[in-house]
Amino acid sequence: MSTSTPRIPGTYVFDTADNRRGRALNRLCGSLKDAGNRARFSADEDAYCEAYGLTAEQREAVLSRDWTRMLELGGSIFYVFKLAVLDQKSMQYLGGVFTGMTTEEFTQALKAGGRSFG
């Protein structure tokens, strides 16, 4: 008999990574690690969202860079962060919110492959 840890309401930041409703959103954000995809996304964000099959709510969250809403709609923090990296202002915001680091510390941690977080 195995015991499992019950999910605690409100922990969506980490729990929705495996949530099916966020799959399209996570695929879109994950695709942005490729320079060609980043260029296509920058050229026409709405069409790029359409191509990935985002719901209207997910599309609105992506286009308005509403990070909290993206997480609530099933996005994984690790994938949503790939979108934030495209924008320096967003990266600074997320760096401060999620790590408590200064922008410089956060940038150094990214360059180190994320091993310096915490």
Side-chain angles (χ1 to χ4, degrees):
M1 180 176 203
S2 67
T3 60
S4 63
T5 305
R7 290 189 178 209
I8 301 167
T11 58
Y12 64 84
V13 171
F14 299 104
D15 288 345
T16 59
D18 61 352
N19 191 328
R20 302 288 293 174
R21 68 190 174 112
R23 184 173 181 180
L25 179 58
N26 290 332
R27 286 183 57 228
L28 178 143
C29 292
S31 74
L32 298 175
K33 66 183 176 186
D34 177 75
N37 287 338
R38 286 193 303 272
R40 285 186 278 283
F41 178 77
S42 296
D44 190 347
E45 292 183 8
D46 196 44
Y48 199 84
C49 290
E50 180 71 27
Y52 272 84
L54 269 60
T55 66
E57 287 180 300
Q58 289 172 331
R59 183 179 303 128
E60 178 59 32
V62 167
L63 297 177
S64 65
R65 303 298 195 268
D66 187 341
W67 313 113
T68 303
R69 188 70 183 132
M70 281 187 248
L71 295 170
E72 291 171 345
L73 293 170
S76 159
I77 190 170
F78 303 107
Y79 285 106
V80 168
F81 187 74
K82 291 181 186 297
L83 176 60
V85 170
L86 297 180
D87 176 48
Q88 182 67 26
K89 182 178 176 186
S90 297
M91 191 171 79
Q92 291 170 357
Y93 168 77
L94 287 177
V97 169
F98 292 118
T99 68
M101 295 179 171
T102 66
T103 303
E104 293 77 23
E105 292 170 332
F106 188 68
T107 302
Q108 289 302 328
L110 280 177
K111 289 178 181 177
R115 292 180 204 84
S116 300
F117 290 115

